[in-house]
Amino acid sequence: MTQLTRPSTQLTLAGAHTVLHAAMEKADAMGIPMCITIVDTAGHMVAYARMDGAKTMSELSSRAKAETAASSRAQTGSVTPGVDIKLGLVTGGKLTNLNAGVPIEVGGEVIGAVGVGSGTGEEDLEVALAGIAAFQAALTETAPA
Amino acid sequence: MTQLTRPSTQLTLAGAHTVLHAAMEKADAMGIPMCITIVDTAGHMVAYARMDGAKTMSELSSRAKAETAASSRAQTGSVTPGVDIKLGLVTGGKLTNLNAGVPIEVGGEVIGAVGVGSGTGEEDLEVALAGIAAFQAALTETAPA
Amino acid sequence: MTQLTRPSTQLTLAGAHTVLHAAMEKADAMGIPMCITIVDTAGHMVAYARMDGAKTMSELSSRAKAETAASSRAQTGSVTPGVDIKLGLVTGGKLTNLNAGVPIEVGGEVIGAVGVGSGTGEEDLEVALAGIAAFQAALTETAPA
Amino acid sequence: MTQLTRPSTQLTLAGAHTVLHAAMEKADAMGIPMCITIVDTAGHMVAYARMDGAKTMSELSSRAKAETAASSRAQTGSVTPGVDIKLGLVTGGKLTNLNAGVPIEVGGEVIGAVGVGSGTGEEDLEVALAGIAAFQAALTETAPA
């Protein structure tokens, strides 16, 4: 029989902060202040921090990266060049192919994403991945035996 | 221990269509073509129909009604007059106090909402509630014994 | 002689987090999940948190409240009724007269603001003021003797 | 100890006018009417002039140039081709890689920026740099011995 509902998993604010704080720690260690946005699976913002000295406009890029990763359920940066621009245009700039939007996953389900901006695409991605790694480690610790 | 995630229930397209078709049937029976929007708990559109003859702009009102009911987890229409206009302004018109936005609930959790427009507020609400009633009836039928 | 520059004080992320965490603690104690936005003196977002269960759309109201308090250098809510709507319209919804936008001040200079939303205006304001009180207390502790 | 605030320097209107008037003088001397925007470090407009005969749309380009230089704390024009378009999309057109956005600096701190448009990129930049040079000269004159 067709199901009217399906079970899913949501990211909590505590989960978002786990990603955020680890990402900030990494950015601090690299000496590069960043803008970091965490969104839920629907793309709505759960947590945000602009580290002292980060670029003001990176609020917008970090958010678009996070929203894109949540919507596509994939790390940003692999859309065919040219197509990415067209997708950016039809979404009013929400969809971006810039590096450093990374999904937050639990058991194969994407429950949110992190987006990082203010450095180079490589630096941004390193910070985003540090946030994801800390979340996965914390998940293991908090999982029932 | 702080939880990084929490379980939740999502509305499927089949669930959204259950609401939509029942609402359309009601509108047909009343002889009033309607715009009907179904959104998920995050406010993203899952299903939409503009019945033949419905007002074009009612796309916008039906959607705002659904988004408002999903965000506030309550039927639209009970915000204090005056405050509703201010909330409409800060949300770019997304939050509305017009009648006929109704949450879709399962076991006390809001998993989406329906918004209806093109008739009077009373007619719109009657159509929305018909959709909700059909969903609740179908839930009971599909629930495990 | 006319001065080309003037000294000023900026809010750090640590300062913003002091406000944010105290506000969250208050909202937790009240049992009302909130959306909390901290902006700098220019109205740019420095930190944001959506507590679990807060209304999605309160992201927008909490931000507009913070931006308005930073821009006007005054607590929101005292604009003449009617005028507030006109100001909301010309600013594209950025200026709001809703309660619970409160400036962050140091020595009489406004260096940012906090905006809170998802409860009633009175509840929102109580949470905002708890954030401000914690910041002022922390300032005293960190001030040189 | 973590600091809740940090000292900074702000651009005054007198400082902005020093840039603006020198830039206009240069544009006059070149016989090319320009649109000239001065923003503070947050990207908010402090002063603007559209010289008689300048292109109307250059209001937008001069402003985006200034905002970009202020946000990135660097002269516009050096973002990798391709990346610049993506950054333009996610910022709603605010971030631009067009020439002639130049930061206004004091003692190594960016306190604002000037953006110029209506000529070629080279002409625009020449006018912007004339404004900056005049500001630096005036700073030296007004500095305490």
Side-chain angles (χ1 to χ4, degrees):
Chain A
M1 179 175 289
T2 312
Q3 294 301 311
L4 305 182
T5 66
R6 60 186 167 76
S8 88
T9 302
Q10 298 291 309
L11 179 67
T12 62
L13 177 56
H17 277 163
T18 301
V19 177
L20 179 64
H21 294 147
M24 285 173 58
E25 209 171 297
K26 181 68 173 180
D28 256 336
M30 295 166 66
I32 304 166
M34 296 285 190
C35 289
I36 302 165
T37 305
I38 318 288
V39 300
D40 62 20
T41 190
H44 292 312
M45 186 164 56
V46 179
Y48 173 76
R50 185 188 73 197
M51 296 171 68
D52 300 336
K55 297 170 189 161
T56 310
M57 284 192 193
S58 299
E59 175 197 336
L60 299 172
S61 55
S62 73
R63 185 164 187 167
K65 292 170 184 184
E67 289 189 38
T68 300
S71 170
S72 62
R73 288 179 297 282
Q75 188 171 316
T76 57
S78 63
V79 176
T80 308
V83 174
D84 58 352
I85 302 303
K86 295 174 196 172
L87 287 169
L89 284 167
V90 294
T91 58
K94 276 177 180 293
L95 190 148
T96 184
N97 202 26
L98 288 164
N99 272 326
V102 184
I104 303 171
E105 295 186 57
V106 174
E109 180 181 0
V110 171
I111 63 168
V114 57
V116 177
S118 209
T120 65
E122 288 71 26
E123 291 163 345
D124 295 344
L125 181 56
E126 198 173 342
V127 169
L129 292 173
I132 297 294
F135 181 84
Q136 292 301 330
L139 260 189
T140 309
E141 287 167 27
T142 62
Chain B
M1 179 173 290
T2 312
Q3 295 301 311
L4 306 181
T5 65
R6 61 185 165 79
S8 84
T9 302
Q10 297 293 309
L11 181 67
T12 62
L13 178 55
H17 276 163
T18 300
V19 177
L20 180 64
H21 294 148
M24 287 171 60
E25 207 172 299
K26 180 68 174 181
D28 257 337
M30 293 166 67
I32 306 166
M34 297 285 191
C35 288
I36 302 165
T37 304
I38 318 288
V39 300
D40 63 18
T41 190
H44 289 313
M45 190 161 55
V46 180
Y48 174 75
R50 187 189 73 196
M51 296 170 67
D52 300 335
K55 298 169 190 163
T56 310
M57 282 194 196
S58 299
E59 174 194 340
L60 300 173
S61 56
S62 73
R63 186 165 185 165
K65 292 170 182 184
E67 289 189 40
T68 301
S71 172
S72 63
R73 288 180 296 282
Q75 189 172 314
T76 56
S78 63
V79 177
T80 308
V83 174
D84 58 352
I85 302 301
K86 295 177 196 173
L87 288 169
L89 280 167
V90 293
T91 58
K94 277 179 179 293
L95 191 149
T96 183
N97 203 25
L98 287 165
N99 273 325
V102 184
I104 303 172
E105 295 185 58
V106 174
E109 181 182 0
V110 172
I111 64 168
V114 55
V116 178
S118 210
T120 65
E122 287 71 24
E123 290 163 347
D124 294 344
L125 180 57
E126 198 173 341
V127 168
L129 291 174
I132 296 294
F135 181 84
Q136 292 302 331
L139 260 190
T140 309
E141 287 166 27
T142 60
Chain C
M1 183 176 287
T2 313
Q3 293 301 311
L4 306 181
T5 65
R6 60 186 166 78
S8 87
T9 302
Q10 297 292 309
L11 181 67
T12 63
L13 176 55
H17 276 164
T18 300
V19 177
L20 179 64
H21 294 147
M24 287 173 58
E25 208 171 297
K26 180 68 174 182
D28 256 336
M30 294 166 65
I32 305 166
M34 297 287 191
C35 288
I36 302 165
T37 304
I38 317 289
V39 301
D40 62 19
T41 190
H44 292 313
M45 185 163 58
V46 179
Y48 172 77
R50 186 188 72 197
M51 296 171 69
D52 300 335
K55 298 171 190 162
T56 310
M57 284 191 193
S58 299
E59 175 197 335
L60 301 172
S61 55
S62 73
R63 184 162 187 169
K65 291 169 184 185
E67 290 188 40
T68 301
S71 171
S72 63
R73 286 180 299 281
Q75 189 172 315
T76 56
S78 64
V79 176
T80 308
V83 175
D84 58 352
I85 303 304
K86 295 174 197 172
L87 287 168
L89 284 166
V90 295
T91 59
K94 276 178 181 290
L95 189 150
T96 184
N97 202 26
L98 288 165
N99 273 325
V102 184
I104 303 171
E105 296 185 57
V106 175
E109 181 182 0
V110 171
I111 64 169
V114 56
V116 177
S118 209
T120 64
E122 287 70 26
E123 291 163 346
D124 295 345
L125 180 57
E126 197 173 342
V127 169
L129 291 174
I132 296 293
F135 181 84
Q136 292 301 331
L139 259 190
T140 309
E141 287 166 26
T142 60
Chain D
M1 179 173 292
T2 312
Q3 295 300 312
L4 307 181
T5 66
R6 60 186 165 78
S8 85
T9 301
Q10 298 292 308
L11 181 67
T12 61
L13 178 56
H17 276 162
T18 301
V19 177
L20 180 64
H21 294 147
M24 287 172 59
E25 207 171 300
K26 181 67 174 182
D28 257 337
M30 294 165 67
I32 305 167
M34 296 287 191
C35 288
I36 302 165
T37 304
I38 318 289
V39 300
D40 62 20
T41 188
H44 290 314
M45 190 160 54
V46 180
Y48 173 74
R50 186 188 72 197
M51 295 170 69
D52 299 335
K55 298 169 189 162
T56 311
M57 283 193 194
S58 299
E59 174 193 339
L60 300 172
S61 57
S62 72
R63 186 165 185 166
K65 293 169 183 184
E67 289 188 38
T68 300
S71 172
S72 62
R73 287 179 298 280
Q75 187 171 318
T76 58
S78 63
V79 177
T80 308
V83 175
D84 57 353
I85 303 302
K86 296 175 195 173
L87 288 170
L89 281 167
V90 295
T91 58
K94 276 179 179 295
L95 191 149
T96 183
N97 203 24
L98 288 166
N99 273 324
V102 185
I104 302 171
E105 297 185 56
V106 174
E109 180 182 0
V110 171
I111 63 168
V114 56
V116 178
S118 210
T120 66
E122 288 70 25
E123 291 162 346
D124 294 345
L125 181 56
E126 197 172 343
V127 169
L129 292 174
I132 296 293
F135 181 83
Q136 293 300 332
L139 261 189
T140 309
E141 287 166 26
T142 60

